[in-house]
Amino acid sequence: AEANYPNLRMFTVERTPAETPQADCRGQWRVCTPETVGGFSAVAYFFGRMLHKELGVPVGLIDSSWGGTPIEAWTSLEAQQAQEPLRPKLDEWQKRIESYDPQKAQQDYERLLARWEEEAAKARAEGKPAPRKPQPPSEPRMNPHRPANLYNGMIAPVAPYAIAGAIWYQGESNAGAASIYALQLDTMIRNWRAIFQCGDFPFAWVQLANFMARQSLPVEPQSWADIRDSQFKTLSVPNTGMAVAIDIGDANDIHPRNKQEVGRRLALWALAKTYGRKHVVCSGPLFSGYKVLGDRIAVSFDHAKSGLTAKDGPLTGFAIAGEDKVFHRAEASIEGRTVVVSSSKVPKPVAVRYGWANNPVCNLYNNDGLPASPFRTDDWKPTEIAPGD
């Protein structure tokens, strides 16, 4: 209701999949008012609002987004073809296009629709929620999930706009193939930097928030944990940042409501790293290294200058394993800017993980109130890890 900011302007790119890179897109610049802001990206608005207030300069925000879409839709075909591990997905889509039969697809849809109508009627009669209605068939060539389709229709037309940077909030739709997400994110960043012709412009993303059933095992090798790991490791790309959201998700809602804090954490990084505000702490603790000290492991962190703290109770979220790759819940204590981890069940530890689950129970922060990112010290594959206790 208080969103009257004449010098905050918003442009929303109309959702447009395309088979080839487009030169133009639909949309218009709007002045930020209570009447116009509601339809805009909440995270982008709160990010831009904080920059506008802190820097005292006009801010323009371009929202090019489509919920539930995968990262490969937002990266050029050429950039993905140049990466061997990404080619199988491209080939898979080509086969889907070649085998598409519109008549059969329509028949299958009509069968699903008839079954849904019966199930929905039964659910209503029993006072239960109806199942989700099936979607009509769509030509795979124009599918918004097809690699490069949203890049072609919604990114290429915007370039080479003179942008100051980019923010990215995505990853859920790639959880089924988390092993290549780090390469996909790296590829997309470099692709966008090339086409916008603004050099290695600042690029920050939101690490996936906590979601689904609460953690019950010491580590739970799950897809969202792997995506977070990929997002954390992509910080090796120059001039990139990450807003950790492991404490502000919603177990029952893939779209958590606290957009304001997400936008604020992104803006903290921009203020500190792009706009030189040296007093601004831009991140929670990020794993930087570890040492094995007999039967304990000492873990060190960046962004811990103010000190480390456990929020709302004893420090939790750490697990420790020996060479058998069985993780056990660890006792963890803060010693200066390090966390020392141990377990009586692991006399010769070799690895530590923190916050390793879709919805982890973890509470490490720095004294500036920002949460630590989940991390691991090992490179073990999920199939190599034995169940712990």
Side-chain angles (χ1 to χ4, degrees), residues 13 84 180 259 264 296 305 312 326 335:
V13 178
E84 185 67 37
I180 60 171
K259 313 292 189 187
R264 188 185 80 89
R296 305 182 303 159
K305 188 175 181 180
D312 300 329
V326 178
E335 297 185 10

Side-chain angles (χ1 to χ4, degrees), residues 315-331:
L315 186 58
T316 187
F318 288 87
I320 194 167
E323 292 181 353
D324 59 1
K325 301 180 182 179
V326 178
F327 278 95
H328 299 270
R329 285 185 176 83
E331 295 179 4

Side-chain angles (χ1 to χ4, degrees), residues 12-13 41 106 113 167 173 212 239 255 261 292 294 337 346 348 363 380:
T12 301
V13 178
S41 161
Q106 182 63 29
L113 185 62
I167 56 175
S173 294
M212 294 178 278
N239 204 14
H255 301 290
E261 181 62 12
V292 178
R337 298 178 189 175
V346 186
K348 295 182 179 180
N363 65 345
W380 301 334

Side-chain angles (χ1 to χ4, degrees), residues 3 32 48-49 51 79 84 116 124 156 164 169 189 191 241 281 286 304 334 345 357 383 385:
C32 179
R49 185 185 69 175
L51 293 186
E84 185 67 37
W116 173 82
R124 284 192 295 268
Y169 192 172
I189 293 168
N191 178 207
V281 176
L286 297 178
I334 295 170
K345 297 179 180 179
T383 54
I385 300 171

Side-chain angles (χ1 to χ4, degrees), residues 296-299 301 308-310 314-316 318 330-342 364:
R296 305 182 303 159
I297 293 181
V299 183
F301 299 88
L308 300 171
T309 188
L315 186 58
T316 187
F318 288 87
E331 295 179 4
S333 60
I334 295 170
E335 297 185 10
R337 298 178 189 175
T338 67
V339 172
V340 178
V341 185
S342 65
L364 178 65

